[in-house]
Amino acid sequence: MTVATVYNRMVLPIATDDPAADYEALTQRVSLWDVGCQRQVQVQGPDALELCQYLSARDLSQLRIGAAKYAPLCDHDGRLINDPVVLRVNEDTVWFSIADSDVLLWIRAISGERGDDVEVSEPDVSPLAVQGPSATDTVAAVFGEWVHELKFFHFRRIHHEGIPLVVCRSGWSKQSGFELFLEDGSKGDQLWDLIWAAGQPHGIRVGAPNNAERIENFLLAWGSDTDAESDPFEAAIGSYIDLGATHDFVGKNALLAKRADGPTRELKGLLIDGEPLEANPEPVGLQTPNGSYAGQTRAVVYSPRYERNLGLAIVEVPQNLPGTKLQVPTPTGWRPAIVVDLPFDL
Ligand code: THG
């Protein structure tokens, strides 16, 4: 790994010096990612489920033991403050597998104010992702054929050769795969070596959460695709917000008002003309053809699958309408772009 960032105050590797090979391994074979920085916030106790239901803008009342859901968290004003995967580990234990913001403090504050009977902690749990078309065969070679039967966003908690872990069919790619939530940090090398060996016949490669693949399939990167004021509708994940649910949750009234008003800006896809662009994670300002401000890019990437440049951009209303023509500044000058809906459907 030659490129890394900081995520939840830990190092997150994000690319090797050969991004084309990273992409190829993920989409054709199998890729192994150290995503230990996807920390868990554990909520345990008699009130755990009720508290989680109150924290989450998605209805978690049907969340069964052994199942997970993508469950955005909002503050009281409807800002999107994190977008965790929530796992129901047992009767009274839930894990929030978090994006890069301080959910532990948030949950302790809310539960403290409510007087919930829960303990909120950060357990010794570090995910390792195995992603790609050969991920299932790789993981099955280690843990057994039963992994074939695991459904998407379902998991089993096991011990394997003395390693405690949760095997979950999930991950930040659309190539299918697993997240192995290691429950003993001292056994990380052992787990890594087992998967690495099992992946040899499948051409396993060390990788990382892949920006090109996740943009092609639109998985939200909280904090990159969003800013401090983004709400879930603006962030294009409104489909995970259960405003019709009868339960109360943090931000519900604000979100009802926002939905009624409609967004003033929205995360959209961009199709950008011209030769392959260097990946650019820095926001740059967008313009309409007559030069007025139209929003900002959040990510630009060349898509190997579509063989064209894609962008994610927070676009001002009404330029958010699909088909709108905009101008994007690039190192080689302004380029025309077209606004499209997410996920990309090309
Ligand atoms: N795995 C785990 N924790 C995480 C991430 C992860 N925490 C931070 C970050 N990534 C959260 N972001 C996402 C975004 C999308 C998805 C997962 C995590 C995802 N979405 C499914 C989809 O779009 O198909 C929907 C799942 C559902 O229907 O509930 O997988 O990657 N552990």
Side-chain angles (χ1 to χ4, degrees), residues 45-64:
D47 295 334
L49 271 110
E50 206 186 303
L51 170 63
C52 293
Q53 180 77 333
Y54 180 65
L55 291 163
S56 168
R58 186 172 187 186
D59 184 2
L60 298 179
S61 59
Q62 304 305 313
L63 187 62
R64 307 205 172 247

PDB file of all heavy atoms in Angstrom, residues 45-64:
ATOM      1  N   GLY A  45     -27.187  -3.991  26.731  1.00  0.00           N
ATOM      2  CA  GLY A  45     -28.004  -3.842  27.929  1.00  0.00           C
ATOM      3  C   GLY A  45     -29.475  -3.974  27.607  1.00  0.00           C
ATOM      4  O   GLY A  45     -29.865  -4.052  26.443  1.00  0.00           O
ATOM      5  N   PRO A  46     -30.312  -3.954  28.647  1.00  0.00           N
ATOM      6  CA  PRO A  46     -31.753  -4.162  28.454  1.00  0.00           C
ATOM      7  C   PRO A  46     -32.392  -3.134  27.516  1.00  0.00           C
ATOM      8  O   PRO A  46     -33.354  -3.462  26.824  1.00  0.00           O
ATOM      9  CB  PRO A  46     -32.339  -4.001  29.871  1.00  0.00           C
ATOM     10  CG  PRO A  46     -31.198  -4.127  30.813  1.00  0.00           C
ATOM     11  CD  PRO A  46     -29.940  -3.810  30.066  1.00  0.00           C
ATOM     12  N   ASP A  47     -31.868  -1.923  27.465  1.00  0.00           N
ATOM     13  CA  ASP A  47     -32.486  -0.881  26.624  1.00  0.00           C
ATOM     14  C   ASP A  47     -31.784  -0.712  25.269  1.00  0.00           C
ATOM     15  O   ASP A  47     -32.081   0.240  24.531  1.00  0.00           O
ATOM     16  CB  ASP A  47     -32.460   0.472  27.351  1.00  0.00           C
ATOM     17  CG  ASP A  47     -33.327   0.454  28.610  1.00  0.00           C
ATOM     18  OD1 ASP A  47     -34.286  -0.343  28.657  1.00  0.00           O
ATOM     19  OD2 ASP A  47     -33.021   1.228  29.540  1.00  0.00           O
ATOM     20  N   ALA A  48     -30.879  -1.626  24.950  1.00  0.00           N
ATOM     21  CA  ALA A  48     -30.046  -1.430  23.746  1.00  0.00           C
ATOM     22  C   ALA A  48     -30.889  -1.268  22.486  1.00  0.00           C
ATOM     23  O   ALA A  48     -30.664  -0.343  21.690  1.00  0.00           O
ATOM     24  CB  ALA A  48     -29.064  -2.590  23.579  1.00  0.00           C
ATOM     25  N   LEU A  49     -31.862  -2.141  22.282  1.00  0.00           N
ATOM     26  CA  LEU A  49     -32.612  -2.085  21.016  1.00  0.00           C
ATOM     27  C   LEU A  49     -33.472  -0.844  20.905  1.00  0.00           C
ATOM     28  O   LEU A  49     -33.558  -0.229  19.842  1.00  0.00           O
ATOM     29  CB  LEU A  49     -33.420  -3.359  20.819  1.00  0.00           C
ATOM     30  CG  LEU A  49     -32.496  -4.319  20.091  1.00  0.00           C
ATOM     31  CD1 LEU A  49     -32.061  -5.445  20.942  1.00  0.00           C
ATOM     32  CD2 LEU A  49     -33.030  -4.714  18.767  1.00  0.00           C
ATOM     33  N   GLU A  50     -34.091  -0.485  22.029  1.00  0.00           N
ATOM     34  CA  GLU A  50     -34.927   0.710  22.018  1.00  0.00           C
ATOM     35  C   GLU A  50     -34.079   1.955  21.744  1.00  0.00           C
ATOM     36  O   GLU A  50     -34.479   2.837  20.973  1.00  0.00           O
ATOM     37  CB  GLU A  50     -35.616   0.825  23.382  1.00  0.00           C
ATOM     38  CG  GLU A  50     -36.909   1.586  23.343  1.00  0.00           C
ATOM     39  CD  GLU A  50     -37.463   1.777  24.747  1.00  0.00           C
ATOM     40  OE1 GLU A  50     -37.666   0.745  25.441  1.00  0.00           O
ATOM     41  OE2 GLU A  50     -37.659   2.932  25.135  1.00  0.00           O
ATOM     42  N   LEU A  51     -32.914   2.013  22.351  1.00  0.00           N
ATOM     43  CA  LEU A  51     -32.007   3.144  22.109  1.00  0.00           C
ATOM     44  C   LEU A  51     -31.571   3.190  20.645  1.00  0.00           C
ATOM     45  O   LEU A  51     -31.586   4.261  20.019  1.00  0.00           O
ATOM     46  CB  LEU A  51     -30.786   3.042  23.033  1.00  0.00           C
ATOM     47  CG  LEU A  51     -29.644   4.018  22.726  1.00  0.00           C
ATOM     48  CD1 LEU A  51     -30.084   5.467  22.894  1.00  0.00           C
ATOM     49  CD2 LEU A  51     -28.436   3.722  23.635  1.00  0.00           C
ATOM     50  N   CYS A  52     -31.220   2.039  20.091  1.00  0.00           N
ATOM     51  CA  CYS A  52     -30.762   2.014  18.688  1.00  0.00           C
ATOM     52  C   CYS A  52     -31.862   2.473  17.757  1.00  0.00           C
ATOM     53  O   CYS A  52     -31.608   3.188  16.775  1.00  0.00           O
ATOM     54  CB  CYS A  52     -30.294   0.610  18.310  1.00  0.00           C
ATOM     55  SG  CYS A  52     -28.822   0.165  19.212  1.00  0.00           S
ATOM     56  N   GLN A  53     -33.062   2.075  18.068  1.00  0.00           N
ATOM     57  CA  GLN A  53     -34.214   2.480  17.269  1.00  0.00           C
ATOM     58  C   GLN A  53     -34.374   4.009  17.307  1.00  0.00           C
ATOM     59  O   GLN A  53     -34.686   4.637  16.294  1.00  0.00           O
ATOM     60  CB  GLN A  53     -35.452   1.753  17.837  1.00  0.00           C
ATOM     61  CG  GLN A  53     -36.743   2.024  17.151  1.00  0.00           C
ATOM     62  CD  GLN A  53     -36.872   1.276  15.833  1.00  0.00           C
ATOM     63  OE1 GLN A  53     -35.887   0.951  15.194  1.00  0.00           O
ATOM     64  NE2 GLN A  53     -38.086   1.020  15.410  1.00  0.00           N
ATOM     65  N   TYR A  54     -34.105   4.587  18.470  1.00  0.00           N
ATOM     66  CA  TYR A  54     -34.221   6.035  18.625  1.00  0.00           C
ATOM     67  C   TYR A  54     -33.071   6.781  17.933  1.00  0.00           C
ATOM     68  O   TYR A  54     -33.224   7.909  17.479  1.00  0.00           O
ATOM     69  CB  TYR A  54     -34.257   6.385  20.119  1.00  0.00           C
ATOM     70  CG  TYR A  54     -34.377   7.865  20.397  1.00  0.00           C
ATOM     71  CD1 TYR A  54     -35.514   8.579  20.035  1.00  0.00           C
ATOM     72  CD2 TYR A  54     -33.336   8.563  21.017  1.00  0.00           C
ATOM     73  CE1 TYR A  54     -35.621   9.947  20.264  1.00  0.00           C
ATOM     74  CE2 TYR A  54     -33.425   9.928  21.265  1.00  0.00           C
ATOM     75  CZ  TYR A  54     -34.567  10.613  20.882  1.00  0.00           C
ATOM     76  OH  TYR A  54     -34.663  11.952  21.110  1.00  0.00           O
ATOM     77  N   LEU A  55     -31.915   6.145  17.845  1.00  0.00           N
ATOM     78  CA  LEU A  55     -30.750   6.775  17.216  1.00  0.00           C
ATOM     79  C   LEU A  55     -30.808   6.741  15.696  1.00  0.00           C
ATOM     80  O   LEU A  55     -30.251   7.603  15.023  1.00  0.00           O
ATOM     81  CB  LEU A  55     -29.463   6.046  17.649  1.00  0.00           C
ATOM     82  CG  LEU A  55     -29.045   6.212  19.098  1.00  0.00           C
ATOM     83  CD1 LEU A  55     -28.042   5.130  19.481  1.00  0.00           C
ATOM     84  CD2 LEU A  55     -28.441   7.593  19.313  1.00  0.00           C
ATOM     85  N   SER A  56     -31.464   5.714  15.169  1.00  0.00           N
ATOM     86  CA  SER A  56     -31.369   5.437  13.740  1.00  0.00           C
ATOM     87  C   SER A  56     -32.537   6.008  12.962  1.00  0.00           C
ATOM     88  O   SER A  56     -33.699   5.838  13.335  1.00  0.00           O
ATOM     89  CB  SER A  56     -31.323   3.926  13.528  1.00  0.00           C
ATOM     90  OG  SER A  56     -31.517   3.628  12.159  1.00  0.00           O
ATOM     91  N   ALA A  57     -32.218   6.646  11.819  1.00  0.00           N
ATOM     92  CA  ALA A  57     -33.266   7.167  10.945  1.00  0.00           C
ATOM     93  C   ALA A  57     -33.883   6.055  10.098  1.00  0.00           C
ATOM     94  O   ALA A  57     -34.850   6.282   9.381  1.00  0.00           O
ATOM     95  CB  ALA A  57     -32.694   8.263  10.046  1.00  0.00           C
ATOM     96  N   ARG A  58     -33.312   4.864  10.170  1.00  0.00           N
ATOM     97  CA  ARG A  58     -33.911   3.707   9.503  1.00  0.00           C
ATOM     98  C   ARG A  58     -34.544   2.831  10.576  1.00  0.00           C
ATOM     99  O   ARG A  58     -34.002   2.659  11.665  1.00  0.00           O
ATOM    100  CB  ARG A  58     -32.843   2.910   8.760  1.00  0.00           C
ATOM    101  CG  ARG A  58     -33.422   1.775   7.924  1.00  0.00           C
ATOM    102  CD  ARG A  58     -32.351   1.141   7.065  1.00  0.00           C
ATOM    103  NE  ARG A  58     -32.929   0.170   6.164  1.00  0.00           N
ATOM    104  CZ  ARG A  58     -32.233  -0.635   5.376  1.00  0.00           C
ATOM    105  NH1 ARG A  58     -30.914  -0.583   5.387  1.00  0.00           N
ATOM    106  NH2 ARG A  58     -32.839  -1.484   4.589  1.00  0.00           N
ATOM    107  N   ASP A  59     -35.696   2.260  10.256  1.00  0.00           N
ATOM    108  CA  ASP A  59     -36.406   1.429  11.219  1.00  0.00           C
ATOM    109  C   ASP A  59     -35.623   0.142  11.481  1.00  0.00           C
ATOM    110  O   ASP A  59     -35.413  -0.647  10.559  1.00  0.00           O
ATOM    111  CB  ASP A  59     -37.790   1.111  10.639  1.00  0.00           C
ATOM    112  CG  ASP A  59     -38.652   0.330  11.610  1.00  0.00           C
ATOM    113  OD1 ASP A  59     -38.194   0.062  12.749  1.00  0.00           O
ATOM    114  OD2 ASP A  59     -39.782  -0.016  11.227  1.00  0.00           O
ATOM    115  N   LEU A  60     -35.183  -0.044  12.726  1.00  0.00           N
ATOM    116  CA  LEU A  60     -34.420  -1.245  13.073  1.00  0.00           C
ATOM    117  C   LEU A  60     -35.247  -2.237  13.889  1.00  0.00           C
ATOM    118  O   LEU A  60     -34.697  -3.199  14.435  1.00  0.00           O
ATOM    119  CB  LEU A  60     -33.160  -0.852  13.867  1.00  0.00           C
ATOM    120  CG  LEU A  60     -32.145   0.032  13.140  1.00  0.00           C
ATOM    121  CD1 LEU A  60     -30.972   0.365  14.056  1.00  0.00           C
ATOM    122  CD2 LEU A  60     -31.648  -0.649  11.873  1.00  0.00           C
ATOM    123  N   SER A  61     -36.560  -2.004  13.951  1.00  0.00           N
ATOM    124  CA  SER A  61     -37.384  -2.844  14.837  1.00  0.00           C
ATOM    125  C   SER A  61     -37.393  -4.315  14.388  1.00  0.00           C
ATOM    126  O   SER A  61     -37.604  -5.194  15.199  1.00  0.00           O
ATOM    127  CB  SER A  61     -38.818  -2.307  14.902  1.00  0.00           C
ATOM    128  OG  SER A  61     -39.394  -2.277  13.617  1.00  0.00           O
ATOM    129  N   GLN A  62     -37.142  -4.557  13.102  1.00  0.00           N
ATOM    130  CA  GLN A  62     -37.155  -5.955  12.615  1.00  0.00           C
ATOM    131  C   GLN A  62     -35.751  -6.548  12.525  1.00  0.00           C
ATOM    132  O   GLN A  62     -35.573  -7.625  11.943  1.00  0.00           O
ATOM    133  CB  GLN A  62     -37.813  -6.026  11.226  1.00  0.00           C
ATOM    134  CG  GLN A  62     -39.214  -5.464  11.153  1.00  0.00           C
ATOM    135  CD  GLN A  62     -40.142  -6.112  12.173  1.00  0.00           C
ATOM    136  OE1 GLN A  62     -40.166  -7.325  12.312  1.00  0.00           O
ATOM    137  NE2 GLN A  62     -40.886  -5.290  12.900  1.00  0.00           N
ATOM    138  N   LEU A  63     -34.770  -5.858  13.084  1.00  0.00           N
ATOM    139  CA  LEU A  63     -33.388  -6.348  12.974  1.00  0.00           C
ATOM    140  C   LEU A  63     -33.184  -7.584  13.851  1.00  0.00           C
ATOM    141  O   LEU A  63     -33.257  -7.510  15.072  1.00  0.00           O
ATOM    142  CB  LEU A  63     -32.404  -5.242  13.370  1.00  0.00           C
ATOM    143  CG  LEU A  63     -30.923  -5.544  13.150  1.00  0.00           C
ATOM    144  CD1 LEU A  63     -30.601  -5.768  11.678  1.00  0.00           C
ATOM    145  CD2 LEU A  63     -30.055  -4.430  13.714  1.00  0.00           C
ATOM    146  N   ARG A  64     -32.934  -8.715  13.216  1.00  0.00           N
ATOM    147  CA  ARG A  64     -32.818  -9.976  13.951  1.00  0.00           C
ATOM    148  C   ARG A  64     -31.369 -10.258  14.337  1.00  0.00           C
ATOM    149  O   ARG A  64     -30.448  -9.738  13.712  1.00  0.00           O
ATOM    150  CB  ARG A  64     -33.320 -11.133  13.091  1.00  0.00           C
ATOM    151  CG  ARG A  64     -34.692 -10.876  12.568  1.00  0.00           C
ATOM    152  CD  ARG A  64     -35.405 -12.160  12.260  1.00  0.00           C
ATOM    153  NE  ARG A  64     -36.776 -11.807  11.948  1.00  0.00           N
ATOM    154  CZ  ARG A  64     -37.812 -12.139  12.700  1.00  0.00           C
ATOM    155  NH1 ARG A  64     -37.649 -12.845  13.796  1.00  0.00           N
ATOM    156  NH2 ARG A  64     -39.025 -11.763  12.365  1.00  0.00           N
TER     157      ARG A  64
END
